[in-house]
Amino acid sequence: MNIASILVLIFLAITFIQSGYDKVTDWKGNVEYLTGHFSQTFIRKMVPISLMILLILELISGILCAAGAIQLAANNVRTFGFYGAVFSCVTLLFMLFAQRLAKDYEGARTVTIYFILAVLGVFWLS
């Protein structure tokens, strides 16, 4: 059993499930904030649909990572964990693109830190 992989999966599961939960419980506030954040970009009129896509990606990532941590701990199988880490990378690339588009370089730097951890998870679980 790889404890490091389990810890990475738990970290990613908490990150994405909590983020998805925040979007669901404060949808209006998130749309308002992001509409301003992306007001100078070509996605300014697509904020609600972009946020919905991100929410779906986050929930898929988080659920797969949680299931993967359980699966890896219970029977040393990596299937769900691997796909959870891959989905996490895709989700973070989506977020990185948006941050760079908005010229939010500090936000992009933060996403990069999460991405490094997610790629490490893909590497360990492949």
Side-chain angles (χ1 to χ4, degrees):
M1 179 172 32
N2 187 338
I3 298 298
S5 295
I6 292 170
L7 292 172
V8 167
L9 290 170
I10 292 170
F11 177 89
L12 293 170
I14 291 168
T15 299
F16 288 120
I17 292 170
Q18 179 63 45
S19 183
Y21 175 79
D22 289 344
K23 285 174 182 59
V24 169
T25 58
D26 187 21
W27 181 261
K28 184 180 176 186
N30 277 282
V31 169
E32 288 174 4
Y33 170 76
L34 292 172
T35 298
H37 190 67
F38 295 110
S39 64
Q40 301 299 312
T41 71
F42 72 89
I43 65 169
R44 65 185 166 274
K45 295 182 181 180
M46 297 183 284
V47 167
I49 190 69
S50 297
L51 189 60
M52 180 58 71
I53 292 167
L54 180 59
L55 170 61
I56 291 167
L57 286 170
E58 286 179 336
L59 291 178
I60 291 170
S61 299
I63 291 166
L64 283 172
C65 286
I70 293 165
Q71 185 185 46
L72 190 55
N75 56 18
N76 206 29
V77 175
R78 300 172 177 212
T79 308
F80 286 133
F82 173 74
Y83 288 113
V86 169
F87 260 89
S88 296
C89 287
V90 170
T91 302
L92 291 163
L93 288 171
F94 186 85
M95 295 168 75
L96 178 68
F97 174 75
Q99 296 292 35
R100 296 290 300 187
L101 191 63
K103 295 184 171 58
D104 180 358
Y105 302 116
E106 186 61 36
R109 185 178 7 255
T110 301
V111 171
T112 301
I113 294 166
Y114 286 96
F115 185 74
I116 291 167
L117 185 62
V119 168
L120 191 59
V122 171
F123 178 73
W124 284 340
L125 294 163
S126 62

